[in-house]
Amino acid sequence: MIRGSDTMVNLVAWWAEDFMYAYPEHSVAVRGGGSGTGIAALFNRATDICASSRSIREEELQRAREMNIDIQEHVMALDGIAIAVHPDNPVDELTMSDLRQIWTGAYTNWADLGGPNLPMTVLSRDSNSGTYVHFQQYVLGENDFARTVRFMGASSSLVMELASNVGSIGYVGMGYVEDEEAVKVLAIKEDEDAEAVRPSIESVQSGVYSIARPLYFYTEGAPGEVAQLFIDFCRSEQGRDVVLETGFVPVAE
Amino acid sequence: MNRRYQRELFVKFVFTAGASTSILVVFLIFLFLFREALPFAWNPGLGELVGTRWMPVTFQQPGYGLIPLITGSLLVTFTATLIAIPFGVLGAVYIAEMAHSVEREILKPFIELLAGIPSVVLGFFGLVVVAPIVRDVFNLPSGLNALTGALLLALMAIPTIISISEDAIRAVPLSYKEASMALGASRLQTIWKVTVPAAMSGIIAAIMLGMGRVIGETMAVLMVTGNAPLVTANLFEPVRTMTATIAAEMGDVTRGAPHYQALFWIGVILLMITFIINWVAQRVLRRYQR
């Protein structure tokens, strides 16, 4: 039984299907419900593996210690986070520091970045999303989002607003912005002197493009025999192909 | 005879139980919400809820201030109701008093259809169609704001207001209208001076019910209001409503954590606001009936 992240539910279901085809003697059940639900299920021993699109929180680890549960973390894949704007926006690249200024509210107009005089509409995923937490931690340096940031419940509606609003900027899993006509994905520079890099399978895998969140499996203690077999399968050549098919990036070997 | 009495008693009991189910359910829901919310009172304390900063998922000090969420819900709800009233009431008057029976046959199913549109579908329509129109008409940076949310919610409230107001207008006794006409009043004068005032209690109940539908609506507002927790009375700013907050955040909170309890407090407050709306509606109804 595998429970957890809705972001990963397609990926995990695909893995499970191929796994059961390869090992017909084992059966794997997959359920979504969110990373938090999965972690709670792990604590209640209601699941063998928890799929999570965010790393386990301090308060959850605290609870695990109280319940004397040893939590093990397995990085299964990466999700590159693309920074995207409207196709008519002349800006092509930004630095990490620009991103921090934009989402913490220091920049409010594209003119602040040398672009046209156009008010910025800054978009974010809502706080239930693993992407939100990763972006806040990694890009904003644990600072808060500005209060004027618009929060979108779903990645698809965020992309829709990006495609229709000239002044908008948002971040979203790179699987959602494959249509280059609808939105423009920006290249990101680590700092002023660095080379601007666009998110791609290679750049995310090698870490040259650094805005990517890991997707995890959590198990209670060492995985059991079947769970270990499954994890090994997901990391095999066949499992990595599934990762690519679902729009994520396999971990470097 | 005795047997018949027992049967009578049994039937009465079944009916009483049926009638009280909803009271019991509301009571249990309230109890459940309160039980989950209560520990927040000791840690971190109820004072936290009376703030203007809603920032529950953060690496800094978390903020559980509910004021932006309450003002956001109220702004969207009142605007939506104000937009819906003229359309709803005029529509009801037209359908009840002026429309030919053929027109009525066409109008009514469409109004019912509007009521039946799932709110996600309406939200999608809002995101793709209404938000860009609002943005271009008012020359705003983005159409994801309180006004777009209110427009969509008005669309949801209108069918409720029309169908209940129409029933109320139709229920006005024919003798009132006949008396008015006999005194020489025109058809329009009769409608505004006699029929509508006589149906006023029903119309107000219709508006209140429409408002109840609007304040509890979740999916459509979640998709189009921009969800930024701002305290504002400006319709062109994004707002975060109470319902959208619960829907967006409940999926991934740690059970029993302060954030989880704060979401239950939102539920408690939402329920209380609904109670107040209903209570006011009852009072108004009674005053008009007198």
Side-chain angles (χ1 to χ4, degrees):
Chain A
M1 168 69 107
I2 303 172
R3 277 177 81 166
S5 165
D6 287 324
T7 318
M8 293 169 69
V9 80
N10 268 339
L11 170 67
V12 179
W14 203 328
W15 271 338
E17 215 169 282
D18 285 1
F19 177 77
M20 287 188 283
Y21 195 75
Y23 301 92
E25 68 274 24
H26 299 304
S27 76
V28 182
V30 181
R31 278 175 68 183
S35 303
T37 323
I39 290 170
L42 195 64
F43 287 169
N44 300 333
R45 296 182 167 84
T47 186
D48 303 300
I49 296 176
C50 154
S52 177
S53 58
R54 59 168 171 82
S55 61
I56 191 162
R57 288 187 192 129
E58 190 44 49
E59 59 200 39
E60 287 160 341
L61 275 179
Q62 181 73 36
R63 188 139 162 258
R65 275 191 294 269
E66 280 163 18
M67 294 171 72
N68 222 354
I69 296 175
D70 167 40
I71 301 288
Q72 282 201 5
E73 183 177 275
H74 316 265
V75 176
M76 301 308 294
L78 299 170
D79 184 15
I81 301 175
I83 313 295
V85 296
H86 190 274
D88 294 346
N89 193 319
V91 172
D92 286 317
E93 49 183 64
L94 292 172
T95 65
M96 288 294 275
S97 133
D98 291 336
L99 298 181
R100 196 171 309 129
Q101 308 288 345
I102 290 171
W103 267 276
T104 53
Y107 293 156
T108 55
N109 193 304
W110 285 101
D112 297 334
L113 287 160
N117 178 19
L118 190 71
M120 242 179 225
T121 301
V122 186
L123 306 174
S124 163
R125 281 299 310 283
D126 220 313
S127 64
N128 66 337
S129 149
T131 330
Y132 168 102
V133 181
H134 185 77
F135 198 83
Q136 190 177 35
Q137 183 168 23
Y138 183 72
V139 181
L140 304 190
E142 310 202 341
N143 288 306
D144 279 344
F145 284 93
R147 285 210 223 175
T148 47
V149 169
R150 284 171 164 82
F151 292 101
M152 309 297 285
S155 298
S156 50
S157 41
L158 195 149
V159 172
M160 258 181 246
E161 174 69 4
L162 283 175
S164 82
N165 185 338
V166 194
S168 60
I169 181 164
Y171 63 87
V172 68
M174 54 190 262
Y176 285 92
V177 288
E178 278 161 1
D179 180 7
E180 283 288 323
E181 310 245 301
V183 297
K184 179 160 87 176
V185 175
L186 299 183
I188 302 301
K189 294 197 276 193
E190 290 293 316
D191 54 61
E192 281 300 332
D193 310 321
E195 201 184 334
V197 188
R198 284 168 51 84
S200 68
I201 289 154
E202 296 74 34
S203 65
V204 168
Q205 201 169 51
S206 64
V208 182
Y209 184 87
S210 68
I211 316 173
R213 61 170 170 162
L215 302 175
Y216 302 97
F217 274 175
Y218 285 103
T219 53
E220 188 208 330
E225 196 186 331
V226 182
Q228 186 62 53
L229 194 63
F230 182 70
I231 293 173
D232 291 342
F233 177 83
C234 299
R235 286 175 169 162
S236 71
E237 194 63 38
Q238 197 181 352
R240 297 160 68 87
D241 284 344
V242 171
V243 174
L244 287 172
E245 288 279 346
T246 45
F248 298 117
V249 177
V251 185
E253 269 170 290
Chain B
M1 237 8 208
N2 192 27
R3 194 129 159 231
R4 198 159 160 188
Y5 177 72
Q6 275 181 350
R7 209 164 75 192
E8 193 84 356
L9 212 66
F10 175 72
V11 169
K12 195 177 165 200
F13 172 77
V14 169
F15 275 78
T16 316
S20 357
T21 314
S22 50
I23 298 182
L24 191 73
V25 168
V26 169
F27 183 73
L28 286 178
I29 288 176
F30 200 79
L31 209 68
F32 168 74
L33 286 181
F34 212 70
R35 196 194 66 188
E36 295 294 321
L38 203 60
F40 196 91
W42 296 285
N43 175 36
L46 285 186
E48 287 284 314
L49 298 174
V50 193
T52 57
R53 182 168 164 272
W54 176 259
M55 188 62 72
V57 182
T58 174
F59 293 93
Q60 316 293 326
Q61 177 75 21
Y64 299 113
L66 300 185
I67 292 173
L69 311 179
I70 296 172
T71 56
S73 269
L74 294 182
L75 179 68
V76 174
T77 303
F78 280 116
T79 315
T81 311
L82 283 181
I83 299 170
I85 287 173
F87 290 99
V89 175
L90 292 181
V93 168
Y94 184 79
I95 291 174
E97 293 290 310
M98 294 170 175
H100 294 292
S101 56
V102 185
E103 285 178 293
R104 195 175 297 145
E105 294 295 311
I106 299 168
L107 281 170
K108 287 216 71 164
F110 273 97
I111 290 164
E112 273 149 31
L113 202 66
L114 183 59
I117 295 175
S119 65
V120 214
V121 176
L122 217 52
F124 188 74
F125 169 74
L127 194 63
V128 180
V129 179
V130 185
I133 293 176
V134 168
R135 184 186 68 219
D136 296 339
V137 167
F138 296 99
N139 196 18
L140 302 168
S142 169
L144 301 173
N145 54 31
L147 180 63
T148 309
L151 285 171
L152 285 188
L153 291 177
L155 274 184
M156 287 184 198
I158 286 171
T160 311
I161 299 182
I162 289 190
S163 45
I164 299 173
S165 305
E166 191 213 338
D167 287 345
I169 293 168
R170 280 170 168 279
V172 174
L174 196 60
S175 57
Y176 285 26
K177 292 177 226 169
E178 286 171 348
S180 167
M181 295 284 198
L183 287 169
S186 71
R187 199 161 147 215
L188 209 62
Q189 283 170 329
T190 307
I191 288 173
W192 288 124
K193 298 266 152 85
V194 178
T195 317
V196 170
M200 194 49 91
S201 62
I203 293 176
I204 287 178
I207 292 169
M208 288 290 180
L209 281 172
M211 204 156 130
R213 162 114 212 248
V214 164
I215 199 164
E217 173 48 44
T218 307
M219 222 32 231
V221 285
L222 178 63
M223 289 169 84
V224 302
T225 55
N227 299 318
L230 298 174
V231 181
T232 177
N234 183 347
L235 286 172
F236 299 142
E237 298 248 34
V239 292
R240 191 176 183 88
T241 64
M242 293 189 276
T243 46
T245 305
I246 298 177
E249 299 177 12
M250 201 42 117
D252 197 42
V253 290
T254 313
R255 235 191 120 97
H259 183 193
Y260 174 86
Q261 291 154 3
L263 291 180
F264 274 91
W265 275 111
I266 300 178
V268 169
I269 292 171
L270 202 55
L271 201 63
M272 288 200 300
I273 291 178
T274 320
F275 274 143
I276 293 171
I277 292 179
N278 275 326
W279 182 74
V280 172
Q282 296 288 344
R283 299 268 302 201
V284 173
L285 270 178
R286 231 173 283 150
R287 176 164 305 169
Y288 271 96
Q289 272 161 358
R290 229 177 264 148

